[in-house]
Every structure is written in structure tokens, then in C-alpha cells.
Amino acid sequence: MIEVRSVSLLVVLLAMGAACCVGFGFVLQQNVAQRAPLSDFLSFRLLLDLMRVPRWLGGTALMVAGMALGAVALGQGEISEVEPLLATNLLFALALSRRQTGQVLGRQGWTGLALLAGGVSAFILAGRPQAGTAVTDPLRHWLIMGAMLATALALAGYAKRSRTGWGAVLLAAAAGLLYGVQDALTRVSATRWAEGGPAELFTGWQPYGVLVLGVTGLMLVQSAFETAPLRMSLPALTAAQPLAGILCGVGFLGDRLHTDTGALAWEAAGLAAIVAGIVLLGLHPAMPCGTAQERRVRDLQRN
């Protein structure tokens, strides 16, 4: 019993550390991406332009550190346990944004915080995620991942045509789905490493899939940051990632959740509270609200 609790505490600490790094990284990235030229929208050229700015590189370094901590957490615990904890990155993003803007939390901020923290606790305590036997049928893997990748592609395609604030929401949701699949592949990669070391890991396609999804998701996120305020893009990103990760965990990674009536009710309520808390925190006035387009309008008005 003591060993199980210590491992769970380690997973919590790793996941919260990852959430902190990612949340801070998102804010620093958006500070820079909002000034990027709109001609780079949904282009990998955008990443090349942003890489010239030290502040963005610092934010990306924090994000990579968060992903590394998250990978260790996924290797130690179940994805259905880690993903809700990673969703708390919004709390850390709000904390940094609040420092930049000087806004107080107020009723909206405290309510969102309570919903997010309570939802994470309710889901984990009710579901009590446990490791099970992973599904070996590749068809099931590809059906679940394919459905999420196809949904992400459709969202990105629609966002490219709209280029409005809601388009940024769709881009962020698409990136969240990719990151959720990326987390699942990270879990698989950690298992392969544990079973056979580097030789077993790099002979599979999963680590390369992690890299491709990570870079593609980064491009989608920066395009969302470029065209709309953080308060519009970050909630969709933060909500989509844990939902996609949990679906992969239960769908083919072998994660087991309690499924009696009471547990299912609390799990559903927990997920609903997480999403509601994310939306409230994301829409908080402390979140940065500048975009490249708004900045250009202000510059034209001054001239």
C-alpha cells in the first residue's frame, strides 16, 4: 500500500511540474506569436520566424521540459490519471498572465479554479485509474487514433478557411487532439523502452509519430496564438488534450476505470467540471488579449 501511494505521489508531482512548465511556456509563446505576420498562418514558416525571438525560444524550452516531465509521468502512471493533471497547465498560465496584466482573480477566477481542481480530484478518485492489459489488435489502435487525427484535420481545414477568432478555437482544439494522441504514443514508447531499451524503442514507429505530432501540433498552436487572444485558444487546447488522451488510454492502452453507476456519474461530473473550469479560466480578463491583427489596427489608427 505504501509503495502504491508513493508512486501515485511521484506521478502527481511530475504531472504538475509538467503542467507548470507548459502553462508558462504557452504564455511566453503567445506574447511573441501575436506579433507574427499573418502571411505565415498555418505554415511551418511561422515556426522558423518565431525561432528568431529569444522569448519564444524560452517558452518553447519550457514547453519541451514540460513534455519531458509529462513523458516520465506517463511512464510511471496511467494516462487516464496523468491527463487530467496536465490540464491544470491553465492555472499556471493564468498565474503568469495575471502577473503580466495585474488583474485580480475575482469570482470568475476562483470559481474556475475550484471547478478545475475539483473536477480533476473527482475524476481520479471516482475512476481510480489502474493499468490493465493493452489491446494488441492494431486495427483498434488505428481506428481510435485515425478518428481523432481525421477530426483534427477537419477542424484545421475549416479554421484555414475562416481565419476568425473561432477559427483559432478550432485550431487549438485540433492541436489538443494531436497532443492527446501524442501522449498515448509517448506512453507506448516508454513501455517499449522499459521492455527492450533503445533498440526496442527506435525500431518502432511510435517515437517518430511523437515527433511528427509534436511539431504539427506546435504549428497549429502558434497559428491559433497568432490570430486570436489566448483566452480563446488555450481553453480549447487544454480541454481537448485530456479527453483525447483518456479515450486512447481506455480504448487501447489498457487503462481501467471503475464503471459502476456511482463511479461513472462522478467521472462524468468530474470531466464536465474540468471543461467548465477551463472555459472560465480561459476567458478570465487576466489572459492576454492582443493579436497581430488588433495591433496592426492600433498602429494604423495612431498614424
Side-chain angles (χ1 to χ4, degrees):
M1 181 66 68
I2 295 177
E3 182 181 357
V4 172
R5 288 179 179 174
S6 64
V7 171
S8 296
L9 178 60
L10 175 62
V11 169
V12 170
L13 292 176
L14 287 169
M16 294 300 290
C20 178
C21 291
V22 170
F24 287 170
F26 279 152
V27 175
L28 295 179
Q29 287 178 336
Q30 201 271 342
N31 290 163
V32 178
Q34 66 178 349
R35 300 179 177 89
L38 294 177
S39 58
D40 288 349
F41 179 73
L42 276 184
S43 168
F44 287 102
R45 187 174 61 251
L46 173 61
L47 300 182
L48 297 177
D49 289 340
L50 293 174
M51 286 173 63
R52 301 172 184 171
V53 185
R55 189 180 184 87
W56 187 85
L57 290 175
T60 302
L62 281 172
M63 186 178 177
V64 171
M67 292 173 64
L69 289 173
V72 178
L74 289 166
Q76 297 288 330
E78 285 67 59
I79 191 170
S80 300
E81 178 184 18
V82 174
E83 287 290 359
L85 295 170
L86 294 178
T88 61
N89 71 76
L90 194 60
L91 299 178
F92 299 99
L94 180 64
L96 181 56
S97 296
R98 180 174 173 268
R99 182 176 179 83
Q100 291 179 345
T101 61
Q103 291 279 351
V104 297
L105 278 180
R107 181 181 300 177
Q108 177 180 343
W110 286 111
T111 301
L113 190 153
L115 283 171
L116 181 56
V120 169
S121 300
F123 180 84
I124 292 177
L125 291 175
R128 283 177 282 177
Q130 296 177 348
T133 303
V135 177
T136 57
D137 182 11
L139 178 61
R140 187 165 175 178
H141 289 230
W142 285 110
L143 282 176
I144 295 174
M145 291 191 298
M148 282 185 282
L149 294 177
T151 302
L153 181 62
L155 292 174
Y158 186 82
K160 185 175 183 179
R161 292 193 298 271
S162 64
R163 293 202 182 194
T164 63
W166 284 109
V169 174
L170 298 180
L171 278 181
L177 293 177
L178 295 186
Y179 284 148
V181 176
Q182 181 191 38
D183 289 341
L185 295 182
T186 299
R187 167 76 177 276
V188 175
S189 299
T191 302
R192 292 178 66 90
W193 176 279
E195 291 176 350
E200 178 70 17
L201 173 64
F202 293 110
T203 53
W205 61 270
Q206 289 85 357
Y208 309 104
V210 169
L211 180 61
V212 170
L213 290 174
V215 174
T216 305
L218 183 63
M219 184 267 292
L220 294 178
V221 168
Q222 301 311 309
S223 294
F225 288 170
E226 179 188 26
T227 54
L230 194 66
R231 65 180 65 173
M232 293 193 69
S233 55
L234 196 53
L237 169 65
T238 308
Q241 181 175 352
L243 295 177
I246 291 170
L247 180 59
C248 288
V250 176
F252 61 81
L253 292 179
D255 285 7
R256 292 181 297 176
L257 300 173
H258 281 241
T259 56
D260 57 89
T261 304
L264 285 175
W266 278 105
E267 289 163 26
L271 288 176
I274 289 172
V275 173
I278 286 171
V279 171
L280 281 177
L281 291 174
L283 296 176
H284 194 276
M287 284 296 183
C289 58
T291 64
Q293 193 168 9
E294 292 170 352
R295 184 177 298 275
R296 286 178 180 177
V297 171
R298 289 197 297 268
D299 291 341
L300 288 174
Q301 289 174 344
R302 288 173 188 162
N303 297 331

